[in-house]
Amino acid sequence: MGTYGTRDLLRAYECHATREVRPVSGELLIMIPLSDESTLEITVVDPSADWIESRLRGLFASLGEIDRRAQRILRGEFSIGWIELDSARHGVIDYWATGVNSEYAIDISWTGDAWVESPAEQLT
């Protein structure tokens, strides 16, 4: 998966994203097709939450920086598999290794105006 530019993500979300509520879990699944022909999957645990739009827009603004930092640590061998927002203030970005069955999860927290890597979970 390529880089996560704020404008490109926002445009892909606004123009091409699909949404569905998963029948078994009741979670909202948002699928955003990206320019490199991959898809960014975002799951929101509570599909009726009133914070979804503001947090998604904040995520699009923050994701590039979070991903750049993760890629430096993970040596570019992982890409985002999916993102889950389980509340207005917490989420998880799950990275998958390229060509191997391996994953690495990063907790993210909402600061009030951006998503950041959770302090206790920061990559070193």
Side-chain angles (χ1 to χ4, degrees), residues 24 34 91:
V24 175
L34 302 176

Side-chain angles (χ1 to χ4, degrees), residues 8-84:
D8 293 338
L9 273 175
L10 185 57
R11 179 172 163 78
Y13 170 69
E14 291 174 340
C15 298
H16 305 290
T18 60
R19 293 170 168 244
E20 69 179 63
V21 175
R22 292 179 167 159
V24 175
S25 66
E27 298 171 330
L28 174 63
L29 174 62
I30 302 166
M31 305 278 288
I32 305 171
L34 302 176
S35 60
D36 67 357
E37 298 186 14
S38 63
T39 301
L40 179 61
E41 293 184 17
I42 302 172
T43 301
V44 180
V45 174
D46 179 3
S48 65
D50 62 355
W51 51 261
I52 294 172
E53 284 302 313
S54 66
R55 295 310 191 269
L56 285 174
R57 291 174 186 280
L59 179 65
F60 302 147
S62 307
L63 192 56
E65 181 59 34
I66 293 169
D67 187 58
R68 277 189 291 282
R69 185 169 169 14
Q71 291 304 331
R72 281 194 306 271
I73 303 303
L74 300 171
R75 295 185 214 108
E77 297 172 8
F78 288 71
S79 62
I80 294 176
W82 50 262
I83 299 171
E84 179 179 272

